[in-house]
Every structure is written in C-alpha cells, then in structure tokens.
Amino acid sequence: MRWIVTVDHHGGCIGMGEDADGVPTRGAPEQGDALPMEFRLYEASGNLLFEGRCGDIDADWWHGFEPLNYLWQPFRCRRLSYRRAGTDEPWRWLRP
C-alpha cells in the first residue's frame, strides 16, 4: 500500500514511505494528497511523531500496518491512528 509521511514532529522523515508496490522510497509530501486516508504514528507514551497519508485502511487493514512496521524500530512508533482524509471523523486506532 502506498504511504508517505507528510508531517514530521520528530525530524528527518518528511517524504519517507513506500510506493504502491511496497518498495521503500522518498517523495514530496504533496504526493500524499491523492491518498484517501490520514494516519498518525505515536510513541508508546502517546507522543505524536509523524503524520501522513496512505491507501484505504478500511478496505485493506493488513497493509495499514505498513507505516507502523516500517517506523517501529528506528523511531519506536508503537501506535497508529487513522481516518478518512478531509473529514472531521474521530481518529480510530488501528486494530486487526
């Protein structure tokens, strides 16, 4: 699933993500505008580290774990919340 970090509260990860084939890549944050979901990644203590955009987690929750899996070790991301982009829906925690 395509995903990209668009806001970096930690440092050094703007544009980090994967292309549609799951290959790690960097891009411009504006490339996320075409993706339907927003996500947020947090430390275990609840501090927000990164925000971004990704493919439709509701349609493919398994691949919704990709940003979390990729940033788990290097930045200690432990939780991911998401919602449909451009809405005021409440943020939902990613759970299988």
Side-chain angles (χ1 to χ4, degrees):
M1 174 182 352
R2 176 76 171 120
W3 62 271
I4 189 167
V5 172
T6 57
V7 179
D8 185 343
H9 300 282
H10 183 274
C13 288
I14 282 287
M16 179 179 285
E18 290 184 351
D19 66 15
D21 297 320
V23 177
T25 189
R26 281 197 178 260
E30 300 79 38
Q31 292 173 325
D33 293 346
L35 300 171
M37 305 296 272
E38 298 174 319
F39 68 85
R40 290 180 172 174
L41 293 167
Y42 305 85
E43 294 177 316
S45 63
N47 292 324
L48 178 61
L49 296 177
F50 306 108
E51 297 178 58
R53 298 282 291 265
C54 64
D56 192 349
I57 292 175
D58 289 331
D60 186 7
W61 66 265
W62 178 256
H63 288 103
F65 281 102
E66 290 176 359
L68 184 60
N69 286 340
Y70 193 82
L71 298 168
W72 179 280
Q73 184 62 32
F75 298 101
R76 300 188 184 274
C77 294
R78 298 295 185 257
R79 300 182 77 189
L80 183 144
S81 65
Y82 70 99
R83 69 179 179 188
R84 186 133 329 256
T87 68
D88 290 331
E89 292 179 13
W91 291 91
R92 295 178 281 165
W93 295 110
L94 180 62
R95 294 190 173 114

